[in-house]
Structure formats: C-alpha cells, structure tokens
Amino acid sequence: MRQKKFLIPMVVLLVFSMVLAACGSEPEENAGDNDGEGGADRPEFLSIVTGGTGGTYYPLGGAFAEIISDETGIQVNAEVSGASAENMNTLRDGNAEIAFSQTDIASYAKEGTLMFEGDQIDNVSAIGTLYPETIQIVTTAKSGITSVEDLKGKKVSVGAPGSGTNPNAEQILEVHGMTFDDIEKQDLSFDESTAGIQDGTIDAAFVTAGTPTGAVEGLSATEEIVIVPIEQDKIDALIEKYPYYIQDEVPAGTYKLADAVSTVAVQAMLVVSNDLSEDVVYDITKAIFENTDKVTHAKGELIKAENAVNGVGIDIHPGAQKYYKEKGIEAAE
C-alpha cells in the first residue's frame, strides 16, 4: 500500500513535467515566424544571377554580393548567367533568389508574353530599378556600317540566348522596316560578340548594358569603335509602340567616341523570389541603397533609392516597399 501511495505522486509529477516541457517548446517551434536576425526563415546563403563577364551585371552583382554579405551576415554569391530572360527562369525554378533583369523582360515574364508565352512567371517581385541600360549597336569604322539600315545582309549578333538583348534588337529592326531575316543573325554573348567583331567573323553586335560596357571597352583598345545611331523619328516610333524604352545616348568620350550618339535604353532592375521574407528583402534593399559608395563601377553613381521605384513595371516586394516607405519614397502598389 505504501508503495502505491509513493507511485501516484511520482506519476503526477512526471505528467506535470511533460506538460511544462511541451509548453516550453512552443516558442522554439514558432521561431520561424520571426524572420529577423537568427530567425528560422532567414537564409544562410543567397545567389544573385547576373550576366556574362563582359557586361555590367556581373561586376555590379559582385559588388552587391559583398555589400549584402557584409551588412546582413547572409553569405551571398554572384553567378555568371545568360542574363535577363534566363535569370527570370532561374528565379522561377528556385535556383537563385536574386536576379538582374531588364525591366521589359521582367514585364514579359510576369505577363507571359513574347519569350514567356504560355510560361508566365508569377513567383517574383521587384526590389527596384538601378540605371538605364543603353542599347548600343557596336561595330568598327572599317566595317563601313553607319546606320541601322546598313545592317542588312550583315552578320549581326543579337545577344546570348535567353538575354534581353534579343527582343531589343528585334524591336529596333522592326521600326526600321526590318526583321531578323534581313540579317545573318548570331546569338552571342557580349564577350563573344566583341571577339567576333575583332577577328572579322561578325560585322556588328547589339549590346544592351550600362555604359561603359567592359567587352566594348576591351574592343576599343584595338579598334576604332562606331556606335550606330538611332534617328529621332525611329526613337519616337519605338517609344510610342514599346513605352518601356526611354531616349538615351552614349556620351562623347565613351570608347573614345568623338561625339555623343543618340540611342534608346531600357532599365536594369533587381528582381527577387517571393519565397524571401519581408524582413530579409528589407535588409537586402537597405544594404544596397545605403552602400552605393562601395560600388566602384561607373553605374554605381546612378543607383539611388529615390529612382528605384520609377518604371519598375512589376509589383515591388513588400520588404522593398517597407524600406522605400521609411525613406518617404512613393512606391508603386
């Protein structure tokens, strides 16, 4: 009997201890709801997909990766890629978390149009726009090409497969009454394009990138560069039909040019996976826009938070919106 009396309190104590343990574990189970520093949903590693090594995305991506790593404690790696269209697919497939893209390509992806026909990408949002991406029709003085019409019958690179340069080239040719059938189309990266121009295997190349573009600068060291101008009436027609274009120019002195050259541009932007939490994207956005002084590329001077909400074309991630709201910057809903 005494043994029974002793056993009953022991059982009650054991049950009570189990209840306390269960209650004590609840905060740990819910830790993932807090995405702040150390939260379960805060990733340890992120990837930024950029573009080819000869473009502007890659060096900027490397600078952003270092800044985000230093400011947030998340290890970030910049990866070479085929640029805009490929990057959107990479985000969709969950193989990266942050991507560079042209604003027009991001819009095509969200709408399921052009190269994304029947393949709409709906799991991405914008961090913001960065700088104009100038469309440069690159050739050399010895080619004799001085106008878009002169490209007829020539071997012309229209960008790497999956890049945003391809539709830019197609649309510019379109307003000049031409199609890809009027040229010997080559699908080459910027580095491959400038190498081809240098060795004579192609005549010209469309390059959509921030100026100065590394691959074109490299070519200018050995060749007299010509940037083919787009005339004002064609610029007006292009912007009227495709309003994500803006008027732009390649400044005098770039690639040793004697005079500025009229052309058009889209905008570079950063796109992010919707899988990233509001807190994480807020930290990323803040890290980038408050440390642009650490970006050594010339385009770093153009990257400003107050411009980041202009011409985005797709929804801005709630984390980025939170940052812009704190700064008093009106973000598109």
Side-chain angles (χ1 to χ4, degrees), residues 224-242:
E224 184 181 349
I225 295 291
V226 169
I227 304 295
V228 178
I230 302 176
E231 301 301 328
Q232 189 62 51
D233 62 328
K234 303 302 184 186
I235 290 174
D236 294 340
L238 188 69
I239 293 172
E240 182 177 357
K241 184 163 186 180
Y242 303 106

Side-chain angles (χ1 to χ4, degrees), residues 97-315:
E97 294 77 28
I98 310 169
F100 283 79
S101 177
Q102 294 173 201
T103 48
D104 54 334
I105 301 304
S107 293
Y108 301 152
K110 291 285 282 188
E111 294 163 2
T113 56
L114 289 185
M115 73 281 284
F116 299 99
E117 187 76 44
D119 192 23
Q120 185 178 12
I121 296 176
D122 58 7
N123 65 334
V124 300
S125 301
I127 285 180
T129 58
L130 301 171
Y131 59 87
E133 287 206 85
T134 308
I135 295 158
Q136 306 160 75
I137 307 174
V138 182
T139 187
T140 59
K142 66 186 179 186
S143 74
I145 297 170
T146 59
S147 70
V148 175
E149 289 82 1
D150 288 343
L151 297 175
K152 284 184 179 180
K154 300 295 196 299
K155 293 180 179 176
V156 182
S157 170
V158 297
S163 74
T165 304
N166 187 285
N168 298 150
E170 187 172 28
Q171 290 158 0
I172 288 169
L173 291 176
E174 177 192 337
V175 298
H176 288 83
M178 299 164 63
T179 70
F180 282 157
D181 291 337
D182 293 306
I183 62 173
E184 291 189 42
K185 182 171 77 77
Q186 312 289 311
D187 301 296
L188 305 174
S189 71
F190 298 159
D191 283 328
E192 292 168 334
S193 295
T194 52
I197 291 171
Q198 187 168 26
D199 63 27
T201 55
I202 66 169
D203 301 297
F206 283 82
V207 172
T208 301
T211 58
T213 307
V216 185
E217 277 194 307
L219 182 63
S220 71
T222 58
E223 301 286 346
E224 184 181 349
I225 295 291
V226 169
I227 304 295
V228 178
I230 302 176
E231 301 301 328
Q232 189 62 51
D233 62 328
K234 303 302 184 186
I235 290 174
D236 294 340
L238 188 69
I239 293 172
E240 182 177 357
K241 184 163 186 180
Y242 303 106
Y244 39 75
Y245 285 103
I246 60 173
Q247 185 156 346
D248 198 12
E249 66 175 27
V250 180
T254 310
Y255 316 130
K256 305 175 187 174
L257 295 173
D259 301 299
V261 179
S262 61
T263 184
V264 292
V266 288
Q267 292 196 82
M269 70 187 303
L270 277 183
V271 185
V272 67
S273 168
N274 289 343
D275 289 341
L276 291 183
S277 72
E278 180 176 323
D279 286 349
V280 169
V281 176
Y282 170 86
D283 289 345
I284 291 168
T285 307
K286 182 176 182 178
I288 290 170
F289 287 109
E290 296 193 359
N291 292 278
T292 55
D293 59 315
K294 297 177 182 176
V295 178
T296 57
H297 191 281
K299 287 302 174 190
E301 296 179 3
L302 301 179
I303 300 171
K304 301 178 187 299
E306 56 265 34
N307 299 331
V309 299
N310 299 328
V312 174
I314 65 173
D315 291 339

